[in-house]
Amino acid sequence: MPTDPSDAVPFAELVRSEDMPRLWQGQSVTIETHQMFAYLAGMGFRIPFGTAVTLMPLRHAMEAAAHARSLARLTGRCVTLGLGPGSPDLVASLHGKPYDSPKAACADYLRQVRGFLTEQRNKAPEAGRQASDLPDLGHPGVDIGLGVLRPALARLAGETADVAITWMTPPGYLARDVVPALRRGARAASRPTPRLVTVVHVAVARHGRDPRQLAYKAAHKHLGAPHYTDMLRRAGLRVHPSQPYLNARALVDSGTFVYGTPREVAGALAEYARAGVDEVVFNCAGVGLAHGWNAALEDLAELSAEMRAVRSDVTA
C-alpha cells in the first residue's frame, strides 16, 4: 500500500524495461489501487496492470467496471481486474453482516461487472439506455479475475471468470485441488479454462537476511486469517490463525515462501508452471518492508534476469 506515488515508479520502470507481462497491486486503502495505476499511466507508463485483488464490498459492481475500463483506455492495454470477497469480518463491518454465501456473492458480482462491461456492445441499437448503464467507451478490454483459495471458488472461476488468481498457494495444492476444480468449472460451462495467476512471495538469499522474518513481514495478516490458514492446512502445512509467526516459519520450511539464490528461486517457480500456472507474480513485499524498496527492486531485477536466462536455455 504505497503512501507516496513515487515509490511505485521504479517498479513500473522495471516492468517496462524488462518487458514483464504486467504490474500487479493488491487492494490499497492508502493510495487507492486504480488511482495509483492511473498516476503511472499519466507519467507515460502505458503498461498492462492487474489487481490481485480488489475487494468487492468496497465498491459497487458498476464502479468496479468503470474503474477497470478507464484504466484500459488510459493505458491502451487490457486490464486484469482481479476481484475477491474479502474476509467475513470486513464484509460484516461494511455491510452489517457477512455474505450468506461468499460463492453466490462472487457469482452475482462477477455477473454484474461483466454486464456493465458488455451490455452496450450487446444491446440492440433501438434499445433505450437505463440510468445505470455505462456509456460506450472504446478500450482494449478488461479480463475479469476472481481470487480463489479453495476448490469451490476455483470451480466458480472456471465457470465465470477470465482469470483465476491465487495467493500463497503451494504448487502441489494447486495441481491437486485448484487446477482440477478450475477445469471442471470450465467444462461445466462449456468455455475455455481461465488463465491461472499465482502470487508467490519471493526473496533472494543475502547476508543478514532471515527468511522467516521476511515471510512474517510479508504475510502476517494473511497468516492470521482463518480462510488462508484453512487453505494452507489443506495443502499440508501445520498452521493456525493464532500463531502467525510459526505460520511464517511453515511457509519458509515448505518452500511456499521461496528463498534462495536467483537460480534456486527460478527452479522453485518452475514447479508452478508444472502445476498448471500460466503467470507467476513476484511478491517481494517481505524484502521491501524489512530492507527497503530499493532492495526489493534489486531482487526483482536479478530474478527477472535469471528467468530470462532459463527461458533462453529452454528455447535454445
PDB file of all heavy atoms in Angstrom, residues 107-137:
ATOM      1  N   ALA A 107     -20.391 -14.931  -7.564  1.00  0.00           N
ATOM      2  CA  ALA A 107     -21.037 -15.213  -8.846  1.00  0.00           C
ATOM      3  C   ALA A 107     -21.896 -14.041  -9.288  1.00  0.00           C
ATOM      4  O   ALA A 107     -21.857 -13.632 -10.460  1.00  0.00           O
ATOM      5  CB  ALA A 107     -21.877 -16.480  -8.738  1.00  0.00           C
ATOM      6  N   ASP A 108     -22.654 -13.474  -8.361  1.00  0.00           N
ATOM      7  CA  ASP A 108     -23.533 -12.360  -8.698  1.00  0.00           C
ATOM      8  C   ASP A 108     -22.722 -11.118  -9.051  1.00  0.00           C
ATOM      9  O   ASP A 108     -23.033 -10.403 -10.013  1.00  0.00           O
ATOM     10  CB  ASP A 108     -24.468 -12.074  -7.526  1.00  0.00           C
ATOM     11  CG  ASP A 108     -25.488 -10.995  -7.861  1.00  0.00           C
ATOM     12  OD1 ASP A 108     -26.231 -11.159  -8.852  1.00  0.00           O
ATOM     13  OD2 ASP A 108     -25.545  -9.983  -7.132  1.00  0.00           O
ATOM     14  N   TYR A 109     -21.672 -10.856  -8.289  1.00  0.00           N
ATOM     15  CA  TYR A 109     -20.857  -9.657  -8.524  1.00  0.00           C
ATOM     16  C   TYR A 109     -20.147  -9.732  -9.873  1.00  0.00           C
ATOM     17  O   TYR A 109     -20.145  -8.770 -10.643  1.00  0.00           O
ATOM     18  CB  TYR A 109     -19.846  -9.511  -7.399  1.00  0.00           C
ATOM     19  CG  TYR A 109     -19.166  -8.159  -7.313  1.00  0.00           C
ATOM     20  CD1 TYR A 109     -19.709  -7.146  -6.542  1.00  0.00           C
ATOM     21  CD2 TYR A 109     -17.975  -7.914  -7.986  1.00  0.00           C
ATOM     22  CE1 TYR A 109     -19.080  -5.910  -6.439  1.00  0.00           C
ATOM     23  CE2 TYR A 109     -17.341  -6.690  -7.904  1.00  0.00           C
ATOM     24  CZ  TYR A 109     -17.902  -5.685  -7.123  1.00  0.00           C
ATOM     25  OH  TYR A 109     -17.277  -4.459  -7.042  1.00  0.00           O
ATOM     26  N   LEU A 110     -19.541 -10.885 -10.183  1.00  0.00           N
ATOM     27  CA  LEU A 110     -18.871 -11.026 -11.471  1.00  0.00           C
ATOM     28  C   LEU A 110     -19.863 -10.901 -12.627  1.00  0.00           C
ATOM     29  O   LEU A 110     -19.543 -10.302 -13.663  1.00  0.00           O
ATOM     30  CB  LEU A 110     -18.132 -12.360 -11.553  1.00  0.00           C
ATOM     31  CG  LEU A 110     -16.639 -12.308 -11.195  1.00  0.00           C
ATOM     32  CD1 LEU A 110     -16.437 -11.906  -9.740  1.00  0.00           C
ATOM     33  CD2 LEU A 110     -15.957 -13.637 -11.474  1.00  0.00           C
ATOM     34  N   ARG A 111     -21.064 -11.453 -12.438  1.00  0.00           N
ATOM     35  CA  ARG A 111     -22.094 -11.318 -13.478  1.00  0.00           C
ATOM     36  C   ARG A 111     -22.440  -9.844 -13.700  1.00  0.00           C
ATOM     37  O   ARG A 111     -22.560  -9.388 -14.848  1.00  0.00           O
ATOM     38  CB  ARG A 111     -23.343 -12.090 -13.063  1.00  0.00           C
ATOM     39  CG  ARG A 111     -24.504 -11.979 -14.050  1.00  0.00           C
ATOM     40  CD  ARG A 111     -25.769 -12.602 -13.492  1.00  0.00           C
ATOM     41  NE  ARG A 111     -26.173 -11.983 -12.239  1.00  0.00           N
ATOM     42  CZ  ARG A 111     -26.789 -10.803 -12.150  1.00  0.00           C
ATOM     43  NH1 ARG A 111     -27.059 -10.101 -13.253  1.00  0.00           N
ATOM     44  NH2 ARG A 111     -27.140 -10.315 -10.969  1.00  0.00           N
ATOM     45  N   GLN A 112     -22.571  -9.089 -12.631  1.00  0.00           N
ATOM     46  CA  GLN A 112     -22.894  -7.674 -12.771  1.00  0.00           C
ATOM     47  C   GLN A 112     -21.765  -6.903 -13.446  1.00  0.00           C
ATOM     48  O   GLN A 112     -22.007  -6.074 -14.327  1.00  0.00           O
ATOM     49  CB  GLN A 112     -23.176  -7.067 -11.394  1.00  0.00           C
ATOM     50  CG  GLN A 112     -24.452  -7.542 -10.735  1.00  0.00           C
ATOM     51  CD  GLN A 112     -24.682  -6.813  -9.426  1.00  0.00           C
ATOM     52  OE1 GLN A 112     -24.762  -5.593  -9.373  1.00  0.00           O
ATOM     53  NE2 GLN A 112     -24.770  -7.567  -8.343  1.00  0.00           N
ATOM     54  N   VAL A 113     -20.521  -7.160 -13.014  1.00  0.00           N
ATOM     55  CA  VAL A 113     -19.379  -6.454 -13.625  1.00  0.00           C
ATOM     56  C   VAL A 113     -19.317  -6.751 -15.113  1.00  0.00           C
ATOM     57  O   VAL A 113     -19.148  -5.842 -15.944  1.00  0.00           O
ATOM     58  CB  VAL A 113     -18.061  -6.859 -12.927  1.00  0.00           C
ATOM     59  CG1 VAL A 113     -16.860  -6.325 -13.712  1.00  0.00           C
ATOM     60  CG2 VAL A 113     -18.024  -6.328 -11.497  1.00  0.00           C
ATOM     61  N   ARG A 114     -19.458  -8.019 -15.479  1.00  0.00           N
ATOM     62  CA  ARG A 114     -19.415  -8.357 -16.900  1.00  0.00           C
ATOM     63  C   ARG A 114     -20.553  -7.684 -17.657  1.00  0.00           C
ATOM     64  O   ARG A 114     -20.389  -7.223 -18.783  1.00  0.00           O
ATOM     65  CB  ARG A 114     -19.451  -9.872 -17.090  1.00  0.00           C
ATOM     66  CG  ARG A 114     -19.067 -10.294 -18.513  1.00  0.00           C
ATOM     67  CD  ARG A 114     -18.977 -11.788 -18.665  1.00  0.00           C
ATOM     68  NE  ARG A 114     -17.953 -12.427 -17.871  1.00  0.00           N
ATOM     69  CZ  ARG A 114     -16.666 -12.420 -18.196  1.00  0.00           C
ATOM     70  NH1 ARG A 114     -16.249 -11.788 -19.286  1.00  0.00           N
ATOM     71  NH2 ARG A 114     -15.784 -13.048 -17.424  1.00  0.00           N
ATOM     72  N   GLY A 115     -21.708  -7.613 -17.013  1.00  0.00           N
ATOM     73  CA  GLY A 115     -22.831  -6.945 -17.654  1.00  0.00           C
ATOM     74  C   GLY A 115     -22.550  -5.477 -17.922  1.00  0.00           C
ATOM     75  O   GLY A 115     -22.832  -4.964 -19.007  1.00  0.00           O
ATOM     76  N   PHE A 116     -21.963  -4.793 -16.949  1.00  0.00           N
ATOM     77  CA  PHE A 116     -21.644  -3.376 -17.148  1.00  0.00           C
ATOM     78  C   PHE A 116     -20.564  -3.189 -18.208  1.00  0.00           C
ATOM     79  O   PHE A 116     -20.545  -2.169 -18.911  1.00  0.00           O
ATOM     80  CB  PHE A 116     -21.199  -2.733 -15.839  1.00  0.00           C
ATOM     81  CG  PHE A 116     -22.326  -2.467 -14.887  1.00  0.00           C
ATOM     82  CD1 PHE A 116     -22.352  -3.057 -13.628  1.00  0.00           C
ATOM     83  CD2 PHE A 116     -23.377  -1.628 -15.238  1.00  0.00           C
ATOM     84  CE1 PHE A 116     -23.390  -2.816 -12.745  1.00  0.00           C
ATOM     85  CE2 PHE A 116     -24.425  -1.383 -14.364  1.00  0.00           C
ATOM     86  CZ  PHE A 116     -24.432  -1.970 -13.109  1.00  0.00           C
ATOM     87  N   LEU A 117     -19.671  -4.162 -18.343  1.00  0.00           N
ATOM     88  CA  LEU A 117     -18.603  -4.043 -19.340  1.00  0.00           C
ATOM     89  C   LEU A 117     -19.069  -4.385 -20.751  1.00  0.00           C
ATOM     90  O   LEU A 117     -18.471  -3.929 -21.726  1.00  0.00           O
ATOM     91  CB  LEU A 117     -17.433  -4.968 -18.971  1.00  0.00           C
ATOM     92  CG  LEU A 117     -16.600  -4.550 -17.760  1.00  0.00           C
ATOM     93  CD1 LEU A 117     -15.647  -5.669 -17.362  1.00  0.00           C
ATOM     94  CD2 LEU A 117     -15.820  -3.267 -18.051  1.00  0.00           C
ATOM     95  N   THR A 118     -20.129  -5.184 -20.875  1.00  0.00           N
ATOM     96  CA  THR A 118     -20.505  -5.697 -22.195  1.00  0.00           C
ATOM     97  C   THR A 118     -21.893  -5.290 -22.653  1.00  0.00           C
ATOM     98  O   THR A 118     -22.219  -5.475 -23.822  1.00  0.00           O
ATOM     99  CB  THR A 118     -20.446  -7.237 -22.211  1.00  0.00           C
ATOM    100  OG1 THR A 118     -21.383  -7.754 -21.255  1.00  0.00           O
ATOM    101  CG2 THR A 118     -19.048  -7.727 -21.862  1.00  0.00           C
ATOM    102  N   GLU A 119     -22.724  -4.726 -21.770  1.00  0.00           N
ATOM    103  CA  GLU A 119     -24.131  -4.539 -22.148  1.00  0.00           C
ATOM    104  C   GLU A 119     -24.299  -3.582 -23.325  1.00  0.00           C
ATOM    105  O   GLU A 119     -25.189  -3.767 -24.150  1.00  0.00           O
ATOM    106  CB  GLU A 119     -24.947  -4.056 -20.951  1.00  0.00           C
ATOM    107  CG  GLU A 119     -24.568  -2.688 -20.424  1.00  0.00           C
ATOM    108  CD  GLU A 119     -25.400  -2.307 -19.198  1.00  0.00           C
ATOM    109  OE1 GLU A 119     -26.190  -3.143 -18.717  1.00  0.00           O
ATOM    110  OE2 GLU A 119     -25.247  -1.170 -18.750  1.00  0.00           O
ATOM    111  N   GLN A 120     -23.410  -2.580 -23.434  1.00  0.00           N
ATOM    112  CA  GLN A 120     -23.564  -1.655 -24.557  1.00  0.00           C
ATOM    113  C   GLN A 120     -23.259  -2.345 -25.887  1.00  0.00           C
ATOM    114  O   GLN A 120     -23.884  -2.082 -26.897  1.00  0.00           O
ATOM    115  CB  GLN A 120     -22.643  -0.444 -24.363  1.00  0.00           C
ATOM    116  CG  GLN A 120     -23.038   0.440 -23.181  1.00  0.00           C
ATOM    117  CD  GLN A 120     -24.453   0.952 -23.312  1.00  0.00           C
ATOM    118  OE1 GLN A 120     -24.866   1.381 -24.387  1.00  0.00           O
ATOM    119  NE2 GLN A 120     -25.222   0.896 -22.238  1.00  0.00           N
ATOM    120  N   ARG A 121     -22.283  -3.270 -25.856  1.00  0.00           N
ATOM    121  CA  ARG A 121     -21.951  -3.994 -27.081  1.00  0.00           C
ATOM    122  C   ARG A 121     -23.093  -4.917 -27.504  1.00  0.00           C
ATOM    123  O   ARG A 121     -23.328  -5.132 -28.674  1.00  0.00           O
ATOM    124  CB  ARG A 121     -20.687  -4.833 -26.847  1.00  0.00           C
ATOM    125  CG  ARG A 121     -19.466  -4.313 -27.585  1.00  0.00           C
ATOM    126  CD  ARG A 121     -18.298  -5.200 -27.331  1.00  0.00           C
ATOM    127  NE  ARG A 121     -17.875  -5.104 -25.945  1.00  0.00           N
ATOM    128  CZ  ARG A 121     -17.077  -5.978 -25.352  1.00  0.00           C
ATOM    129  NH1 ARG A 121     -16.638  -7.019 -26.027  1.00  0.00           N
ATOM    130  NH2 ARG A 121     -16.719  -5.833 -24.103  1.00  0.00           N
ATOM    131  N   ASN A 122     -23.769  -5.473 -26.491  1.00  0.00           N
ATOM    132  CA  ASN A 122     -24.792  -6.476 -26.783  1.00  0.00           C
ATOM    133  C   ASN A 122     -26.178  -5.883 -26.989  1.00  0.00           C
ATOM    134  O   ASN A 122     -27.096  -6.572 -27.396  1.00  0.00           O
ATOM    135  CB  ASN A 122     -24.849  -7.503 -25.644  1.00  0.00           C
ATOM    136  CG  ASN A 122     -23.535  -8.257 -25.522  1.00  0.00           C
ATOM    137  OD1 ASN A 122     -22.809  -8.379 -26.485  1.00  0.00           O
ATOM    138  ND2 ASN A 122     -23.231  -8.747 -24.331  1.00  0.00           N
ATOM    139  N   LYS A 123     -26.350  -4.603 -26.675  1.00  0.00           N
ATOM    140  CA  LYS A 123     -27.672  -4.011 -26.707  1.00  0.00           C
ATOM    141  C   LYS A 123     -28.064  -3.634 -28.137  1.00  0.00           C
ATOM    142  O   LYS A 123     -27.242  -3.108 -28.896  1.00  0.00           O
ATOM    143  CB  LYS A 123     -27.694  -2.763 -25.809  1.00  0.00           C
ATOM    144  CG  LYS A 123     -29.072  -2.205 -25.575  1.00  0.00           C
ATOM    145  CD  LYS A 123     -29.031  -1.067 -24.573  1.00  0.00           C
ATOM    146  CE  LYS A 123     -28.712  -1.590 -23.194  1.00  0.00           C
ATOM    147  NZ  LYS A 123     -28.736  -0.519 -22.185  1.00  0.00           N
ATOM    148  N   ALA A 124     -29.302  -3.892 -28.486  1.00  0.00           N
ATOM    149  CA  ALA A 124     -29.796  -3.509 -29.809  1.00  0.00           C
ATOM    150  C   ALA A 124     -29.771  -1.991 -29.941  1.00  0.00           C
ATOM    151  O   ALA A 124     -30.020  -1.272 -28.969  1.00  0.00           O
ATOM    152  CB  ALA A 124     -31.215  -4.039 -30.006  1.00  0.00           C
ATOM    153  N   PRO A 125     -29.492  -1.462 -31.142  1.00  0.00           N
ATOM    154  CA  PRO A 125     -29.387  -0.009 -31.316  1.00  0.00           C
ATOM    155  C   PRO A 125     -30.624   0.736 -30.875  1.00  0.00           C
ATOM    156  O   PRO A 125     -30.539   1.859 -30.377  1.00  0.00           O
ATOM    157  CB  PRO A 125     -29.136   0.142 -32.823  1.00  0.00           C
ATOM    158  CG  PRO A 125     -28.572  -1.164 -33.252  1.00  0.00           C
ATOM    159  CD  PRO A 125     -29.203  -2.195 -32.376  1.00  0.00           C
ATOM    160  N   GLU A 126     -31.799   0.135 -31.058  1.00  0.00           N
ATOM    161  CA  GLU A 126     -33.020   0.851 -30.724  1.00  0.00           C
ATOM    162  C   GLU A 126     -33.371   0.775 -29.246  1.00  0.00           C
ATOM    163  O   GLU A 126     -34.286   1.447 -28.776  1.00  0.00           O
ATOM    164  CB  GLU A 126     -34.193   0.296 -31.549  1.00  0.00           C
ATOM    165  CG  GLU A 126     -34.571  -1.152 -31.243  1.00  0.00           C
ATOM    166  CD  GLU A 126     -33.728  -2.146 -32.029  1.00  0.00           C
ATOM    167  OE1 GLU A 126     -32.741  -1.716 -32.667  1.00  0.00           O
ATOM    168  OE2 GLU A 126     -34.075  -3.335 -32.025  1.00  0.00           O
ATOM    169  N   ALA A 127     -32.644  -0.059 -28.484  1.00  0.00           N
ATOM    170  CA  ALA A 127     -32.975  -0.216 -27.066  1.00  0.00           C
ATOM    171  C   ALA A 127     -32.579   1.043 -26.298  1.00  0.00           C
ATOM    172  O   ALA A 127     -31.536   1.647 -26.541  1.00  0.00           O
ATOM    173  CB  ALA A 127     -32.253  -1.424 -26.495  1.00  0.00           C
ATOM    174  N   GLY A 128     -33.401   1.435 -25.385  1.00  0.00           N
ATOM    175  CA  GLY A 128     -33.123   2.630 -24.603  1.00  0.00           C
ATOM    176  C   GLY A 128     -32.116   2.346 -23.501  1.00  0.00           C
ATOM    177  O   GLY A 128     -32.047   1.242 -22.963  1.00  0.00           O
ATOM    178  N   ARG A 129     -31.325   3.343 -23.145  1.00  0.00           N
ATOM    179  CA  ARG A 129     -30.350   3.193 -22.071  1.00  0.00           C
ATOM    180  C   ARG A 129     -31.040   3.342 -20.729  1.00  0.00           C
ATOM    181  O   ARG A 129     -31.901   4.178 -20.543  1.00  0.00           O
ATOM    182  CB  ARG A 129     -29.243   4.242 -22.196  1.00  0.00           C
ATOM    183  CG  ARG A 129     -28.212   3.939 -23.255  1.00  0.00           C
ATOM    184  CD  ARG A 129     -27.087   4.960 -23.227  1.00  0.00           C
ATOM    185  NE  ARG A 129     -26.423   4.975 -21.935  1.00  0.00           N
ATOM    186  CZ  ARG A 129     -26.233   6.069 -21.213  1.00  0.00           C
ATOM    187  NH1 ARG A 129     -26.687   7.229 -21.641  1.00  0.00           N
ATOM    188  NH2 ARG A 129     -25.613   6.019 -20.056  1.00  0.00           N
ATOM    189  N   GLN A 130     -30.613   2.529 -19.771  1.00  0.00           N
ATOM    190  CA  GLN A 130     -31.067   2.665 -18.399  1.00  0.00           C
ATOM    191  C   GLN A 130     -30.181   3.667 -17.676  1.00  0.00           C
ATOM    192  O   GLN A 130     -29.051   3.942 -18.090  1.00  0.00           O
ATOM    193  CB  GLN A 130     -31.012   1.305 -17.696  1.00  0.00           C
ATOM    194  CG  GLN A 130     -31.843   0.222 -18.364  1.00  0.00           C
ATOM    195  CD  GLN A 130     -33.319   0.557 -18.371  1.00  0.00           C
ATOM    196  OE1 GLN A 130     -33.864   0.981 -17.363  1.00  0.00           O
ATOM    197  NE2 GLN A 130     -33.955   0.383 -19.515  1.00  0.00           N
ATOM    198  N   ALA A 131     -30.684   4.185 -16.574  1.00  0.00           N
ATOM    199  CA  ALA A 131     -29.902   5.155 -15.818  1.00  0.00           C
ATOM    200  C   ALA A 131     -28.593   4.567 -15.315  1.00  0.00           C
ATOM    201  O   ALA A 131     -27.613   5.288 -15.107  1.00  0.00           O
ATOM    202  CB  ALA A 131     -30.731   5.681 -14.636  1.00  0.00           C
ATOM    203  N   SER A 132     -28.559   3.244 -15.104  1.00  0.00           N
ATOM    204  CA  SER A 132     -27.366   2.597 -14.571  1.00  0.00           C
ATOM    205  C   SER A 132     -26.420   2.093 -15.647  1.00  0.00           C
ATOM    206  O   SER A 132     -25.398   1.496 -15.341  1.00  0.00           O
ATOM    207  CB  SER A 132     -27.772   1.418 -13.672  1.00  0.00           C
ATOM    208  OG  SER A 132     -28.486   0.457 -14.431  1.00  0.00           O
ATOM    209  N   ASP A 133     -26.755   2.305 -16.920  1.00  0.00           N
ATOM    210  CA  ASP A 133     -25.861   1.861 -17.985  1.00  0.00           C
ATOM    211  C   ASP A 133     -24.598   2.710 -18.007  1.00  0.00           C
ATOM    212  O   ASP A 133     -24.623   3.914 -17.743  1.00  0.00           O
ATOM    213  CB  ASP A 133     -26.544   1.984 -19.355  1.00  0.00           C
ATOM    214  CG  ASP A 133     -27.623   0.940 -19.573  1.00  0.00           C
ATOM    215  OD1 ASP A 133     -27.693   0.002 -18.764  1.00  0.00           O
ATOM    216  OD2 ASP A 133     -28.384   1.076 -20.543  1.00  0.00           O
ATOM    217  N   LEU A 134     -23.477   2.070 -18.362  1.00  0.00           N
ATOM    218  CA  LEU A 134     -22.267   2.832 -18.651  1.00  0.00           C
ATOM    219  C   LEU A 134     -22.285   3.222 -20.118  1.00  0.00           C
ATOM    220  O   LEU A 134     -22.572   2.389 -20.983  1.00  0.00           O
ATOM    221  CB  LEU A 134     -21.026   1.989 -18.358  1.00  0.00           C
ATOM    222  CG  LEU A 134     -20.711   1.723 -16.892  1.00  0.00           C
ATOM    223  CD1 LEU A 134     -19.554   0.730 -16.771  1.00  0.00           C
ATOM    224  CD2 LEU A 134     -20.366   3.004 -16.155  1.00  0.00           C
ATOM    225  N   PRO A 135     -21.996   4.479 -20.432  1.00  0.00           N
ATOM    226  CA  PRO A 135     -21.964   4.878 -21.852  1.00  0.00           C
ATOM    227  C   PRO A 135     -20.843   4.165 -22.580  1.00  0.00           C
ATOM    228  O   PRO A 135     -19.871   3.697 -21.983  1.00  0.00           O
ATOM    229  CB  PRO A 135     -21.717   6.391 -21.785  1.00  0.00           C
ATOM    230  CG  PRO A 135     -21.085   6.625 -20.462  1.00  0.00           C
ATOM    231  CD  PRO A 135     -21.653   5.591 -19.534  1.00  0.00           C
ATOM    232  N   ASP A 136     -20.982   4.084 -23.890  1.00  0.00           N
ATOM    233  CA  ASP A 136     -19.954   3.433 -24.701  1.00  0.00           C
ATOM    234  C   ASP A 136     -18.599   4.104 -24.493  1.00  0.00           C
ATOM    235  O   ASP A 136     -18.504   5.333 -24.409  1.00  0.00           O
ATOM    236  CB  ASP A 136     -20.325   3.500 -26.186  1.00  0.00           C
ATOM    237  CG  ASP A 136     -21.491   2.583 -26.526  1.00  0.00           C
ATOM    238  OD1 ASP A 136     -21.572   1.507 -25.924  1.00  0.00           O
ATOM    239  OD2 ASP A 136     -22.307   2.956 -27.386  1.00  0.00           O
ATOM    240  N   LEU A 137     -17.563   3.288 -24.417  1.00  0.00           N
ATOM    241  CA  LEU A 137     -16.198   3.795 -24.272  1.00  0.00           C
ATOM    242  C   LEU A 137     -15.268   2.772 -24.898  1.00  0.00           C
ATOM    243  O   LEU A 137     -15.087   1.676 -24.359  1.00  0.00           O
ATOM    244  CB  LEU A 137     -15.835   3.998 -22.793  1.00  0.00           C
ATOM    245  CG  LEU A 137     -14.409   4.476 -22.514  1.00  0.00           C
ATOM    246  CD1 LEU A 137     -14.228   5.914 -22.988  1.00  0.00           C
ATOM    247  CD2 LEU A 137     -14.102   4.369 -21.020  1.00  0.00           C
TER     248      LEU A 137
END
